[in-house]
Amino acid sequence: MGKSLARLGVDVRPEERRLTLLLAASLFLVIAFQYIAKSIRQATFVDTYGATSLPWVYLLVAVCSYPVLELYVRSTGRLSRQTLIASTQIAVALATAVFWWLYGQAFSWVPVLFYVWAAIVFVVLVSQFWSFATDVLDARQAKRLFGLVGAGGLLGGIAGGQIARLATGFVGTRNTLLVAAGLMVTGAVIAFRFPRQGAFSDHPESPTSQRQKTDLSGGGLALLLRSPHLRLISLILLLSVVVAQIVDLQFNWAVEQSTSSLGDRTARFGNFLSVVSLMALVVQVFFTSRVHSLLGVGVAMRILPATIAAGTLAMLFCAGFAPELIIAAVLALKVGEGGVRYSIDQATRELLFFPVPSAVRMKAKGYIDVVLLRSAEGVAALILLPVSFGLIDPVETGFISLVLVGLWLVVAGATYRTYVGSFRDSLKDRTLDDVVSINLADVRTVELLVHSLGSADTRQVLHSLDILDKNGRGHLVPPLLLYHDDAEVRRRTLQVLASADRRDASSLVERRLGDDNPEVRAEAIRVLTEFNVVDACALMLPRLKEVDPKVRAAAVVCLINNGGESMKDQARLAIRDMLLDARPESRAEAVKAIGAIQGTEFVSSMLQGLDDPDAGVAREALHAVRRVIERDGFNPLYLPRLVSLLSDRRLKLDAREALVSFGNDAIPILAHFLGDREESIFVRRALPKTLARIGGSQAACALVASLTEAEDGFLRAQIIEALAIVRDEVHRSGASGQLERAVETETRRYLGRLVELVTIGRLTRSQLDGPLARCDWRGQNLLAQMLAERMEEHLENLFGLLALLYQPQDVWAAYRSLLSDVRRLRTNSLEYLENTLSGPLRHNVFAVIGDLPIEQKLRMAARDFGIDVAPLADTLRRLLDEGQNGDADARALSVAALYAVHVEELSDLHPWVSELLASTRDPLVRETASWVAGHLEQASPHPPSRYGV
């Protein structure tokens, strides 16, 4: 049975079968009763008063519905849902028997009373059923099962129509009511079979809850006014009801014109309603689930208004050009309208309420069912009153339908946007100020600025220095700022003192010649020269022999940049001595000095500093390279060494900053290293963020191009994170097609790991929790644990790619909800993504995250991606082969596969283990292969493997 339903696009899980069957049976009986009663209702009213009088009874239904339904809700608020459904159906059965007696009295008012009563009862029964269904099923279950449950109702419609036709022929129209009452009694019995679990509660509700649910006129309206989504749902339902009443009037008119007696009319209504239900059943079984899964709720919402528009246009065409076909056109319109309304549209209307919280949903649905829809029927009655007065005929009301359908389609588009937005919102429920003009003539302002120079906030100090300097108040800056902790403050203070000609601070400036920062030292030399205190070179020459390496480095920079040849030669000797000094601090100051020397004379010395065994010296060399590049421009001589330093965890960040300073000119070279599989994987993993820090369209394109070529999962994760940094550039470069292909590749890798995990016998239905394999892997083998971890990495990479294509905050909120233990959050996540994604992208993503049993995921992997479950030996042999020349990830899995060969005692794989031992260059793989090969040799001769080769 499950396979047959699956071929029809219906996915019923084993644990859902009993509940689904009970729901379908209950709806079958409700709709069968409705169609029997409807056939009798329509036939008796039209036979007594004529179809053109229907607007009056529509109006009467609208007027009577609210007080009756309000009284019903208030009187039943304390009952459990199960008891409420059963007792209501028994009461309906008794009332139907009363009408059987009244029809026997030949009162003229009975058809009117029965029409109004039946209309109200239909609302109660259907609303009760769907409220219960939306409580016991979540949005994902509803999307899968509503089609099948609704099919039960449609079968009930077929059966009800035919029962009305056949029973009328045998026992007459009046006695058919007793058959309908019997169906209600059966429905009450089934209601008591509903499971007492899940969202369903068999306990009476609290008085507070009761008051909330019965305060329909006030609280329900307030909910609609506060929620744009509920307002739009209400507007759609209002338009739907008005248009349905117009079509119903046209249908009743057509039946009246084509029949002549009460028995004929009852049979015609019953027969035709069966045809409508049959049409709806075909649509429900073959199209509803597929439309929801493949096209989404947005398309499903538009099918009914589009169908009515097409049928109405056909009817109006026949009225103008082929009057003999007008009856057939009206009947075809009713078939199309009913066929879609009671299948796709019914399930879609219920789905629209799922983003609404459960408590709000119940109250809002109650208000809509009791007040709004009844008001809509009143509006329809007022619109159709001209028909009762003979001003227009039923066919001409089609023009009104077309106007309303146009508005309906517009509202449907807005409703779909709020539907997706509501799911997105449910997932989430989880600089210096601009400078104002400154009046430095104001003493208080000047005091404030001077006071700010002592602030702990470096930005505030620099800001005050800038204002004082630009306004000619540099003489107010205290020279003691030359001892500030921040190098930029010290350098900026030197500039302000020079601008203000503060020669009185020369001694303090001279002390900055030994500053830790080379830029501060260079600025101090410039300021002393500008003060003309002494010739800078003459001042610095004796300092080449200073013990303090900072002072010696300052002298070297000054003399090489500004001195004569003799001075330069002495400075060169000094810096070579510093580079050969055993003390790391001396070598560090030497590379700092090289960074401040103009020209390329000391490139080899700088490279020597980059290779220094002391991390502190190498770090200072990286900073110096960065200053040189920022000052002199691109120099490719440094690039290879800087790239290699990315593999050193101590220097990676500083090497990255140095590489970023090269700008766009470095991107082609960095992209080459990123794609080079012979390069260290640690270097390659550090390059994506480096490219992202450079930024721009060229970097974005290089990252996108490298995405599909990266075999290492962690490297792909790094590329995806880097692309998130340059996300705007990625969109401007039009790379969405490449990103979607990357999603497909990530899906293929995920499914491959899933199949491998199943192959090694370490994954069962109970362990596949959504898209992840969850269990205590400590009791499993190493390979199973690693494969499960890879599946999780692929899932995260997939969402990282989606975050590049859609709003990142929404996508990551969906990711967190998908991995949540709260079923409602996981359901909302899937619903949001299903209605946000489209086409092949949605297919690929849901192959991973779809709430499908493991068997279906395996079939999808084989059918759509060519990934089949293979024998264990073949899978392990493939993993061994991939480990020979693969990346770090493949080699790690190869080690785990080797261990699995040992655990499973697969002696048939001994040749492949030996081949791996001979060919691998990875020491861990070689050591593991040697150990496993030794154990396999000791185990030989061994019985043939139970897995085979």
Side-chain angles (χ1 to χ4, degrees):
M1 178 181 175
K3 293 182 178 179
S4 300
L5 291 173
R7 283 194 289 269
L8 296 175
V10 180
D11 178 17
V12 183
R13 312 288 163 79
E15 65 276 11
E16 300 166 342
R17 289 173 185 169
R18 180 172 181 269
L19 177 60
T20 304
L21 180 61
L22 289 173
L23 289 173
S26 179
L27 188 59
F28 172 91
L29 294 169
V30 167
I31 301 302
F33 167 82
Q34 177 181 343
Y35 274 48
I36 294 172
K38 190 172 184 178
S39 300
I40 297 171
R41 181 192 73 175
Q42 301 298 112
T44 55
F45 185 88
V46 170
D47 189 70
T48 305
Y49 297 101
T52 56
S53 298
L54 281 170
W56 293 108
V57 78
Y58 292 162
L59 188 59
L60 186 60
V61 169
V63 171
C64 296
S65 292
Y66 175 73
V68 173
L69 291 174
E70 176 73 6
L71 179 64
Y72 156 76
V73 172
R74 290 184 181 275
S75 63
T76 58
R78 298 186 65 86
L79 297 177
S80 71
R81 190 69 55 81
Q82 187 182 39
T83 305
L84 176 62
I85 292 174
S87 58
T88 299
Q89 292 184 351
I90 290 173
V92 168
L94 293 174
T96 304
V98 171
F99 275 106
W100 168 81
W101 178 80
L102 288 173
Y103 269 115
Q105 307 308 308
F107 298 129
S108 61
W109 47 267
V110 174
V112 176
L113 181 60
F114 184 68
Y115 196 109
V116 175
W117 175 85
I120 296 173
V121 164
F122 297 163
V123 171
V124 171
L125 293 176
V126 173
S127 179
Q128 275 185 353
F129 174 82
W130 287 112
S131 293
F132 175 74
T134 54
D135 273 353
V136 296
L137 302 175
D138 61 38
R140 302 300 299 171
Q141 289 176 312
K143 188 167 284 188
R144 289 187 289 104
L145 302 178
F146 270 7
L148 185 59
V149 172
L154 297 174
L155 286 172
I158 296 172
Q162 291 307 304
I163 289 172
R165 181 179 70 86
L166 296 173
T168 298
F170 285 107
V171 298
T173 298
R174 172 173 169 254
N175 292 325
T176 305
L177 287 172
L178 295 178
V179 179
L183 293 179
M184 280 292 91
V185 174
T186 306
V189 173
I190 289 179
F192 281 112
R193 305 295 297 173
F194 285 135
R196 300 170 181 261
Q197 60 184 9
F200 179 83
S201 173
D202 199 41
H203 299 287
E205 296 172 296
S206 67
T208 302
S209 175
Q210 181 188 356
R211 285 194 299 272
Q212 289 176 343
K213 289 167 63 175
T214 56
D215 183 17
L216 298 173
S217 59
L221 179 60
L223 290 174
L224 263 62
L225 293 177
R226 286 198 301 267
S227 170
H229 183 56
L230 286 175
R231 288 200 302 272
L232 289 169
I233 291 176
S234 301
L235 185 54
I236 277 189
L237 293 178
L238 188 148
L239 291 168
S240 174
V241 168
V242 174
V243 174
Q245 294 290 75
I246 295 174
V247 174
D248 188 65
L249 174 66
Q250 294 164 345
F251 169 61
N252 280 274
W253 171 81
V255 172
E256 182 185 16
Q257 297 299 310
S258 58
T259 57
S260 58
S261 67
L262 175 61
D264 287 345
R265 285 174 181 145
T266 303
R268 178 65 61 87
F269 276 117
N271 203 40
F272 202 80
L273 291 176
S274 291
V275 173
V276 170
S277 294
L278 179 61
M279 176 67 177
L281 178 64
V282 171
V283 175
Q284 185 83 335
V285 172
F286 292 100
F287 298 103
T288 297
S289 294
R290 288 184 170 88
V291 167
H292 283 152
S293 299
L294 301 178
L295 302 178
V297 173
V299 173
M301 292 168 59
R302 297 174 172 90
I303 293 177
L304 178 59
T307 301
I308 294 174
T312 302
L313 288 172
M315 178 189 70
L316 294 173
F317 177 84
C318 291
F321 301 98
E324 67 278 6
L325 298 177
I326 185 65
I327 299 297
V330 173
L331 297 179
L333 169 60
K334 180 62 178 178
V335 170
E337 185 263 349
V340 175
R341 180 179 297 278
Y342 300 119
S343 56
I344 293 176
D345 194 68
Q346 175 69 51
T348 304
R349 287 201 307 271
E350 299 303 326
L351 286 172
L352 290 177
F353 283 98
F354 271 100
V356 182
S358 179
V360 175
R361 180 197 312 155
M362 183 174 296
K363 194 171 186 179
K365 280 176 66 66
Y367 179 80
I368 290 172
D369 290 342
V370 173
V371 179
L372 190 68
L373 295 187
R374 307 290 71 80
S375 300
E377 291 174 354
V379 171
L382 294 175
I383 291 174
L384 294 173
L385 278 179
V387 177
S388 297
F389 291 124
L391 300 178
I392 59 175
D393 62 50
V395 174
E396 291 172 339
T397 59
F399 292 106
I400 302 175
S401 289
L402 291 177
V403 173
L404 295 176
V405 164
L407 179 59
W408 186 350
L409 289 169
V410 173
V411 176
T415 305
Y416 178 65
R417 289 191 292 273
T418 62
Y419 172 78
V420 177
S422 296
F423 274 112
R424 181 181 62 235
D425 294 341
S426 73
L427 298 176
K428 292 181 180 178
D429 300 336
R430 269 228 44 88
T431 82
L432 288 173
D433 297 332
D434 293 335
V435 179
V436 296
S437 58
I438 297 176
N439 178 16
L440 290 183
D442 179 36
V443 176
R444 292 290 300 168
T445 303
V446 175
E447 288 179 356
L448 179 62
L449 286 171
V450 174
H451 179 72
S452 298
L453 294 175
S455 171
D457 187 347
T458 300
R459 296 173 299 174
Q460 188 174 348
V461 176
L462 291 171
H463 193 49
S464 300
L465 285 171
D466 288 339
I467 293 174
L468 291 169
D469 187 30
K470 291 177 182 177
N471 288 275
R473 300 299 179 93
H475 62 280
L476 297 175
V477 175
L480 289 176
L481 280 177
L482 292 173
Y483 292 92
H484 196 279
D485 292 338
D486 187 78
E488 182 60 23
V489 171
R490 300 196 299 271
R491 189 183 69 83
R492 187 72 183 94
T493 301
L494 285 168
Q495 294 174 342
V496 174
L497 293 175
S499 177
D501 198 22
R502 292 288 302 277
R503 296 171 185 266
D504 58 304
S506 296
S507 60
L508 294 176
V509 174
E510 188 173 343
R511 293 179 187 177
R512 289 300 94 202
L513 294 175
D515 196 278
D516 291 337
N517 187 279
E519 294 180 357
V520 175
R521 295 199 296 262
E523 192 64 38
I525 294 171
R526 187 192 67 78
V527 172
L528 289 173
T529 303
E530 188 173 324
F531 283 171
N532 292 319
V533 173
V534 67
D535 178 68
C537 292
L539 174 68
M540 302 307 292
L541 184 60
R543 297 176 183 260
L544 289 176
K545 300 186 182 298
E546 286 276 355
V547 176
D548 187 347
K550 296 177 183 178
V551 177
R552 293 178 68 191
V556 167
V557 174
C558 178
L559 294 173
I560 292 180
N561 284 341
N562 304 296
E565 283 302 317
S566 175
M567 292 181 174
K568 289 182 178 180
D569 289 340
Q570 294 181 63
R572 292 185 183 104
L573 290 173
I575 200 167
R576 289 191 180 102
D577 289 341
M578 294 177 70
L579 288 170
L580 295 174
D581 198 315
R583 296 175 299 167
E585 58 269 21
S586 181
R587 301 198 302 274
E589 292 302 325
V591 294
K592 285 184 184 180
I594 291 173
I597 296 173
Q598 299 174 1
T600 59
E601 179 181 356
F602 291 94
V603 170
S604 59
S605 298
M606 184 72 81
L607 293 174
Q608 178 184 337
L610 292 172
D611 290 329
D612 196 281
D614 185 87
V617 176
R619 186 174 293 108
E620 291 299 339
L622 287 167
H623 296 168
V625 169
R626 181 180 177 185
R627 289 193 295 273
V628 169
I629 297 302
E630 290 174 347
R631 184 190 67 218
D632 300 335
F634 180 76
N635 187 337
L637 295 176
Y638 295 112
L639 273 172
R641 184 60 188 134
L642 293 178
V643 169
S644 68
L645 289 176
L646 290 173
S647 62
D648 189 331
R649 292 185 178 181
R650 302 170 302 169
L651 303 174
K652 180 172 70 174
L653 296 179
D654 299 289
R656 175 178 290 145
E657 293 302 318
L659 286 167
V660 169
S661 67
F662 281 73
N664 288 338
D665 292 332
I667 290 177
I669 299 174
L670 298 181
H672 166 75
F673 282 111
L674 177 59
D676 185 2
R677 295 192 179 184
E678 297 299 320
E679 183 59 66
S680 165
I681 189 61
F682 299 105
V683 169
R684 296 175 68 199
R685 288 172 177 175
L687 282 171
K689 193 167 290 185
T690 306
L691 286 165
R693 289 288 309 281
I694 295 174
S697 59
Q698 190 177 356
C701 291
L703 287 168
V704 172
S706 66
L707 188 58
T708 54
E709 299 299 323
E711 294 295 328
D712 180 70
F714 188 75
L715 174 58
R716 289 196 306 279
Q718 294 298 102
I719 296 173
I720 292 168
E721 287 183 16
L723 285 169
I725 299 174
V726 291
R727 185 174 183 274
D728 292 340
E729 290 294 343
V730 173
H731 279 270
R732 280 193 286 270
S733 66
S736 59
Q738 292 171 278
L739 293 176
E740 290 188 12
R741 287 192 292 275
V743 168
E744 181 180 357
T745 302
E746 207 66 47
T747 297
R748 188 180 301 277
R749 291 186 172 109
Y750 168 91
L751 292 174
R753 298 309 180 203
L754 174 66
V755 169
E756 289 166 354
L757 196 55
V758 172
T759 298
I760 66 174
R762 292 298 189 272
L763 185 64
T764 64
R765 172 189 285 269
S766 62
Q767 292 172 335
L768 184 63
D769 186 11
L772 296 181
R774 299 180 191 260
C775 73
D776 185 2
W777 294 112
R778 291 173 297 180
Q780 306 292 333
N781 64 34
L782 176 64
L783 182 58
Q785 181 178 348
M786 293 183 67
L787 291 174
E789 290 172 353
R790 296 306 183 274
M791 287 171 60
E792 189 167 356
E793 291 171 2
H794 295 317
L795 177 67
E796 187 171 357
N797 284 349
L798 187 146
F799 271 85
L801 291 167
L802 289 181
L804 297 172
L805 293 165
Y806 297 90
Q807 288 298 322
Q809 62 270 28
D810 298 337
V811 171
W812 288 117
Y815 173 76
R816 291 190 295 272
S817 296
L818 186 66
L819 301 185
S820 169
D821 292 330
V822 181
R823 183 179 181 86
R824 178 181 58 82
L825 292 178
R826 294 165 68 174
T827 297
N828 288 354
S829 173
L830 291 169
E831 191 66 14
Y832 164 69
L833 291 169
E834 188 165 76
N835 286 279
T836 300
L837 310 180
S838 60
L841 180 63
R842 178 168 63 184
H843 174 268
N844 292 329
V845 171
F846 271 80
V848 174
I849 70 171
D851 50 346
L852 301 173
I854 189 171
E855 297 82 5
Q856 290 191 32
K857 286 200 173 187
L858 294 177
R859 285 197 295 270
M860 183 180 294
R863 182 185 68 241
D864 299 339
F865 298 91
I867 304 172
D868 295 304
V869 177
L872 175 62
D874 290 348
T875 298
L876 294 177
R877 185 172 60 196
R878 178 174 52 78
L879 290 173
L880 294 179
D881 289 340
E882 292 175 355
Q884 294 188 51
N885 300 308
D887 56 20
D889 189 59
R891 292 195 295 273
L893 285 173
S894 179
V895 170
L898 283 168
Y899 184 68
V901 169
H902 163 67
V903 170
E904 299 291 345
E905 299 181 352
L906 299 178
S907 57
D908 295 332
L909 293 181
H910 184 272
W912 278 271
V913 175
S914 300
E915 182 180 342
L916 184 63
L917 176 62
S919 61
T920 185
R921 292 176 293 176
D922 186 277
L924 179 60
V925 176
R926 183 183 302 110
E927 181 179 350
T928 307
S930 175
W931 180 79
V932 172
H935 277 271
L936 291 177
E937 289 174 357
Q938 292 175 8
S940 298
H942 194 277
S945 170
R946 66 183 184 276
Y947 298 101
V949 179

